Amino acid sequence: MLADPFGTGELRDSVLRAWRDSPTRFTEDTNAEHDLRVGGYRDRLFVELAQNAADAAQLTGAPGRLRVSIVDNELRVANTGAPLDAAGVASLASLRASAKRAGTVGRFGLGFAAVLAVSEEPRVISRTGGVAFSAARTREAIGRDGAVPVLRLPWPVPDAEPPAGFDTEVRLPLRPDVDATALLDTLAADVEDLLLALPWLARIEVDTRVWTRSGGPLVELTAPGGTVRWLTHAEHGCVWAVPVDADGVPEPQDTDVLHAPTPTDERLSLPARLLASAPIEPSRRRLLAGEATRAALAGAADAYPGLVRALRGEHRLALMPRPGFPLSEVDTELRELVLERLTKSAWLPAARGPELPGSRARVLGVDAPDLVSLLADVVPGLVAAPLCGPEPARALAPAGAETLGMAELVEALTGLDREPPWWRSLYAALLPLVESHAVAADELGALPVPLADGRTLPGPRGALLFGASPDLLELLSTADVAGLRLVHPDAAHPLLERLGAKPAEAGDLLDALRDAVDRSLDDPLSGLDTLGLAEVVLRLVAETGARDGLGALALPAEHGWRRADELMLPTSPLLEIFDTEAFGEDGPLDVLDEEFADGRPDDVLTAIGVLDTFFVVADAEPAEPDHGLPDEDEWWEAADEPPPSVFAVRDLDLVDDDAWPEALNLLAANPETWRALTLPGGHTGWWIARYATLAGRAPNEWRLPDAESLAGLYDPIPDLGLRPELLAAIGVRDRLRLDPEHTADLLERLADPAREVAPGLVLRAHAALADADVPGDLAPGFVRTLDGSVTDADRAVVLDEPWLIPVWPANRLVAAEPGDGRAARLAELLDLPRASERTIAEVEADGEYVPWRDLPALAAAAEILDIPLPEGGVFVHDELLVRIDGRPHAVPWWSARTLHAADSPEGLARAFAWAADRWPDRHLLTTLIDDPTPGPLLG
């Protein structure tokens, strides 16, 4: 009789009786085993056998070893640990019971049904005996074919021993459809996961390949392909694990499944693996719903921060749950719990002090570890570097962490008391962020800046970076200049220049002193000493040269304190040119204190506006007449349009009337003032021409001595020692020109009977009046006539038609050089009638009408001058008489709707020139009609 240490006979008899007593029980067992094989425990062969091995090792308290091999087409899985016992055999033969003990994961539980996936004849051989199951023997025992429950009837295995060094071996003869090589490869693929999940297994061998587990909480899994490391944390009945490299850097998972502790089908998206003792369905694939599961998940969430804290601070962010859709209901609940724990539990390394929970953490929003170090004791709750920058800020936001942006940073720095070198270090940490555009310069506009005077400026814009020499800095300190914003030299940094600060060179310091300069005149009046400011400004000007805007600087004068641009050098030639009333307390100018001026270079003093010679005002884009020039409004209005620029000499109205020759020579000697004087349309030449005084008259009331064409109308200027080109520049006349505002003066000169004015000049003057844009209807009382005499305007008419000259006395005709519309404009300007309006004439006798082509001499003359013959002709009279007021007048030609001409060269030439619109050629035509050959034209 065979030895039966596990009582398999009794187990078989019990099962067979149950099947006989209840035929449906057989069917139920068959179906239940089928469901386990193809459903719940499908593909879990190695997992279930490894769990049994781990339980066996745990029961002995020694790390276990498991070996997998193929022998005679039989899969053999041997393990060390507690051997098979009767309870275990009973568990193997039961579909509804398990011998699992507290603390074990699967000791001969229902999962053993997984072996049916590869074998119908499984055996378990242990050093305490063996047991076998067989589909064939089961069919034989019940006397029927077809599907049977394989694992319900156990048989003893006589004389069987496990391999040396092992305590138990499961032997599974493979079904014909199972590929042994592929099966080994499939089992090998699960080894690493099993070693991690089953801490009581220390070694697994698959064929010739070996895997080992060592250490904890840093677990090293040595495999044929190398070593894999997992950092683990066990707490609250679960284990969290994350892969790490040799340096302890985590390699978080993208997706995984819940291990309970073996893999389930519950997908997780957390970056670490969870091995939890959670209630699971009999299939071991899904968690059971209920309070126990919720408690298990809550405990796992409580343990999660412990795994995070096991990492070095710079790597903890890797274990923050990633954003995304949950992968399962369990994943949803677990993620929410984990985020809640990370929000409330301390796990984030602080820049200073203990670790922080997410809800009290502030993450610097830019990647600047050096900046974090500087802010450690400035910003409470600041997370330590390198957990800073946009990515960490976004990652930690779900855990309640607040992002520290530049606006909040600047606010935290406002009012902070730190030494200047600390600020320089801060700027050095910020500069790379600005250069890389990680931070916009505008965001740092209010960044505090320590100044040399101990104040802190709210923002670099307008501050000056130290660049001046030490002695100048000392001079600045003694000047006590309010409002000067000089950055402390120990805090100066290029970032400040990027944010609007300026290098403090001499010129920049001058610009910074402008407010003080503008207020400087009030200081001595209120009893303050302003000499220090004057010394600083003069020193800076000596280094930089002249600069605009310093004329308001208060300087000592002979009569108190005055603006620099209201002062004259004690040696200035203007002192002999300006009126004496121009100087003093009530005058527009004063003289610089001689003691103050002594020893200071004149060019430095004049560079800030002190006058040595005439001052030139320059404005490239004038908008209003507000440049302090005499009669500037009048000049502005007299221009056809506003001047495009202003470049003019100031203070001309201060020149003494008797000193104008000297003043003009001084203006001519300086290139800048000479340019202003000669500028076309400029104020300086305009004003001097009208308001200066030369020999008792304005310059434009004189003519140059050699301007003989103006003789009689204007008097020659006396010899005042002034060059002709200078006289011309200031308006002394060299030719006839009409200034609109001097129209009345010209008419007065023409009507002055004491003046002998040449007839040609009279004609030109009247032409200038007619062509000028002057106010109409001046209505003078007397006018200059064609014969040069002066007559009462009531007797005069304006000659407007050339054929009227013979019928009007010359001493009644006012005429201008011929020009389109001149006669009409002149008549309107002088309020005189036109001669044609006062002439009623009648041609006395009819002449003979002759076409132009039938006048040979005239046609020949026209050909010589290349004048086309016009259409029509002329009425030719032996003597042309026109009757006016009953009196006949002999005239050479006449126009009265038709042309009439005396039969003379003069009459025909004038009539033809008028008809051909060649009036200027009338005299040449007269000559050629007399002698129609080219000779008169050429000789």
Side-chain angles (χ1 to χ4, degrees):
M1 188 175 196
L2 292 175
D4 187 7
F6 305 122
T8 61
E10 295 180 5
L11 292 175
R12 289 194 305 277
D13 290 343
S14 174
V15 173
L16 289 172
R17 280 196 305 272
W19 287 349
R20 286 193 300 269
D21 294 342
S22 177
T24 59
R25 178 65 179 270
F26 173 81
T27 303
E28 291 174 356
D29 288 350
T30 302
N31 292 339
E33 188 176 275
H34 177 270
D35 290 343
L36 291 174
R37 177 170 56 84
V38 302
Y41 289 92
R42 173 176 47 86
D43 302 328
R44 294 177 61 86
L45 169 64
F46 196 24
V47 171
E48 297 302 328
L49 295 180
Q51 286 186 152
N52 288 337
D55 289 341
Q58 183 179 1
L59 291 174
T60 62
R65 184 162 58 96
L66 184 145
R67 184 179 71 186
V68 180
S69 60
I70 298 291
V71 178
D72 297 332
N73 201 41
E74 183 177 78
L75 176 67
R76 295 186 177 183
V77 181
N79 64 271
T80 61
L84 186 66
D85 57 16
V89 172
S91 177
L92 290 174
S94 173
L95 291 175
R96 298 172 180 82
S98 172
K100 186 186 301 184
R101 303 178 186 178
T104 61
V105 294
R107 176 69 168 164
F108 298 131
L110 299 177
F112 189 73
V115 302
L116 299 177
V118 297
S119 178
E120 291 187 343
E121 307 290 332
R123 291 171 291 159
V124 180
I125 307 302
S126 186
R127 55 184 170 83
T128 55
V131 62
F133 299 92
S134 170
R137 294 177 71 177
T138 299
R139 294 187 189 100
E140 181 181 350
I142 63 175
R144 67 171 70 179
D145 294 329
V148 294
V150 177
L151 299 181
R152 292 293 279 130
L153 301 179
W155 281 272
V157 179
D159 304 325
E161 292 289 336
F166 293 92
D167 296 302
T168 303
E169 184 176 56
V170 177
R171 298 176 182 176
L172 304 174
L174 298 178
R175 294 201 314 265
D177 60 334
V178 177
D179 185 331
T181 302
L183 178 61
L184 287 178
D185 291 339
T186 300
L187 301 182
D190 294 334
V191 171
E192 288 187 16
D193 287 343
L194 290 171
L195 280 176
L196 180 64
L198 304 172
W200 282 100
L201 285 183
R203 178 184 177 95
I204 296 179
E205 304 169 16
V206 178
D207 199 8
T208 60
R209 291 163 285 183
V210 178
W211 288 261
T212 62
R213 169 190 169 123
S214 61
L218 179 62
V219 176
E220 289 193 357
L221 301 180
T222 303
T227 299
V228 178
R229 297 169 181 81
W230 289 75
L231 180 64
T232 64
H233 175 73
E235 187 180 2
H236 299 297
C238 71
V239 176
W240 284 100
V242 63
V244 295
D245 64 13
D247 297 322
V249 178
E251 298 172 346
Q253 303 183 126
D254 292 327
T255 60
D256 199 359
V257 296
L258 175 69
H259 291 65
T262 54
T264 69
D265 286 347
E266 301 288 3
R267 298 180 64 204
L268 299 180
S269 60
L270 292 168
R273 172 169 294 176
L274 173 60
L275 300 95
S277 298
I280 59 176
E281 296 176 349
S283 66
R284 305 190 64 80
R285 293 185 177 275
R286 297 289 182 184
L287 295 186
L288 289 170
E291 286 298 327
T293 295
R294 286 192 289 273
L297 294 179
D302 291 338
Y304 193 82
L307 176 68
V308 180
R309 285 190 293 267
L311 291 169
R312 294 198 299 270
E314 65 267 26
H315 301 314
R316 294 180 182 178
L317 192 61
L319 295 188
M320 267 298 295
R322 299 180 182 86
F325 292 106
L327 302 180
S328 65
E329 292 183 5
V330 172
D331 191 35
T332 299
E333 184 173 357
L334 188 57
R335 280 169 58 92
E336 291 176 355
L337 291 170
V338 165
L339 281 173
E340 179 185 352
R341 302 307 191 270
L342 294 178
T343 299
K344 298 178 179 180
S345 301
W347 63 279
L348 282 168
R352 175 159 296 182
E355 292 181 340
L356 303 163
S359 60
R360 290 199 299 108
R362 303 181 76 184
V363 184
L364 184 64
V366 291
D367 187 8
D370 293 344
L371 188 57
V372 172
S373 300
L374 287 167
L375 300 176
D377 60 347
V378 175
V379 180
L382 186 64
V383 176
L387 300 185
C388 58
E391 289 301 323
R394 280 192 292 270
L396 290 172
E402 176 187 346
T403 299
L404 180 68
M406 287 300 105
E408 295 80 9
L409 171 60
V410 171
E411 182 179 357
L413 294 171
T414 301
L416 189 64
D417 183 16
R418 289 292 186 275
E419 293 298 318
W422 185 90
W423 289 103
R424 179 179 176 83
S425 299
L426 176 74
Y427 305 148
L430 288 171
L431 179 59
L433 303 176
V434 175
E435 290 179 335
S436 65
H437 305 291
V439 172
D442 291 345
E443 297 181 80
L444 301 176
L447 189 66
V449 179
L451 302 182
D453 59 8
R455 294 178 298 137
T456 299
L457 188 67
R461 187 168 299 280
L464 297 176
L465 296 168
F466 258 178
S469 56
D471 59 330
L472 180 56
L473 296 178
E474 182 178 356
L475 187 59
L476 282 166
S477 64
T478 59
D480 191 22
V481 180
L484 188 60
R485 296 178 291 185
L486 293 172
V487 178
H488 195 288
D490 292 340
H493 189 274
L495 172 69
L496 300 180
E497 187 174 354
R498 289 285 295 267
L499 300 181
K502 296 181 179 179
E505 302 300 331
D508 300 302
L509 287 174
L510 275 176
D511 292 337
L513 291 171
R514 289 190 186 279
D515 288 344
V517 168
D518 291 341
R519 299 190 308 267
S520 62
L521 192 59
D522 297 331
D523 292 342
L525 297 179
S526 61
L528 298 177
D529 182 10
T530 192
L531 278 176
L533 175 62
E535 294 288 356
V536 169
V537 171
L538 291 174
R539 167 66 183 278
L540 294 173
V541 170
E543 293 187 13
T544 65
R547 294 180 76 86
D548 295 333
L550 299 177
L553 180 66
L555 295 178
E558 290 184 355
H559 302 87
W561 290 82
R562 293 292 285 269
R563 291 170 54 104
D565 55 10
E566 296 177 356
L567 290 172
M568 198 83 65
L569 288 178
T571 57
S572 171
L574 294 179
L575 293 173
E576 304 298 327
I577 293 174
F578 284 175
D579 192 302
T580 56
E581 293 185 359
F583 302 99
E585 292 183 6
D586 298 327
L589 299 176
D590 204 345
V591 180
L592 183 65
D593 180 79
E594 188 170 357
E595 183 178 350
F596 182 85
D598 186 34
R600 291 182 170 83
D602 288 351
D603 60 340
V604 174
L605 293 170
T606 57
I608 63 172
V610 179
L611 297 177
D612 183 33
T613 186
F614 284 103
F615 182 79
V616 175
V617 175
D619 184 354
E621 298 180 356
E624 298 291 340
D626 56 358
H627 302 86
L629 303 174
D631 301 293
E632 186 177 358
D633 289 340
E634 180 184 348
W635 167 66
W636 197 280
E637 293 175 2
D640 293 335
E641 56 185 25
S645 62
V646 172
F647 191 81
V649 177
R650 196 187 68 185
D651 302 328
L652 294 174
D653 54 337
L654 302 182
V655 176
D656 189 274
D657 287 346
D658 296 331
W660 270 108
E662 293 81 1
L664 291 171
N665 281 325
L666 185 60
L667 289 170
N670 186 305
E672 193 173 46
T673 55
W674 175 251
R675 175 190 164 199
L677 181 62
T678 57
L679 184 67
H683 174 274
T684 303
W686 174 88
W687 192 91
I688 291 177
R690 289 156 180 77
Y691 299 106
T693 303
L694 294 177
R697 300 183 193 175
N700 61 10
E701 297 181 22
W702 296 106
R703 68 172 173 85
L704 294 179
D706 59 355
E708 294 294 340
S709 63
L710 300 178
L713 199 57
Y714 293 96
D715 300 327
I717 189 169
D719 185 4
L720 300 174
L722 302 173
R723 302 193 313 272
E725 61 269 23
L726 174 57
L727 293 172
I730 63 173
V732 177
R733 300 180 183 273
D734 59 350
R735 64 190 182 281
L736 181 64
R737 65 177 185 273
L738 184 63
D739 304 318
E741 68 269 31
H742 290 156
T743 303
D745 176 69
L746 177 58
L747 290 173
E748 183 180 344
R749 290 173 183 273
L750 287 171
D752 184 357
R755 291 185 177 275
E756 295 184 8
V757 184
L761 180 55
V762 175
L763 291 176
R764 292 190 295 276
H766 283 151
L769 286 167
D771 291 341
D773 183 16
V774 297
D777 192 12
L778 294 175
F782 295 89
V783 292
R784 182 80 62 167
T785 60
L786 194 59
D787 66 351
S789 64
V790 176
T791 187
D792 193 307
D794 292 338
R795 297 182 65 251
V797 295
V798 173
L799 178 65
D800 60 334
E801 303 292 1
W803 58 83
L804 298 176
I805 292 178
V807 299
W808 280 91
N811 64 357
R812 293 186 64 190
L813 286 175
V814 175
E817 289 182 329
D820 290 343
R822 275 181 179 166
R825 292 196 299 273
L826 185 62
E828 182 181 0
L829 178 69
L830 302 181
D831 196 21
L832 296 177
R834 288 179 285 174
S836 62
E837 297 172 342
R838 298 295 177 89
T839 304
I840 301 176
E842 182 180 355
V843 178
E844 277 202 339
D846 293 336
E848 180 185 359
Y849 179 76
V850 181
W852 298 114
R853 62 181 174 274
D854 293 342
L855 296 169
L858 188 144
E863 191 282 327
I864 292 172
L865 294 177
D866 194 23
I867 301 175
L869 294 176
E871 296 293 328
V874 63
F875 288 92
V876 180
H877 302 256
D878 290 337
E879 182 182 13
L880 179 58
L881 296 176
V882 295
R883 187 172 293 278
I884 301 174
D885 294 334
R887 295 171 53 200
H889 295 268
V891 296
W893 73 294
W894 197 262
S895 176
R897 293 187 299 278
T898 56
L899 285 174
H900 298 263
D903 191 6
S904 67
E906 180 185 5
L908 292 171
R910 280 167 166 71
F912 178 76
W914 188 260
D917 198 20
R918 295 291 289 268
W919 185 248
D921 294 328
R922 62 192 182 281
H923 301 296
L924 186 55
L925 281 165
T926 300
T927 302
L928 289 173
I929 290 172
D930 236 355
D931 181 6
T933 65
L937 179 64
L938 299 174

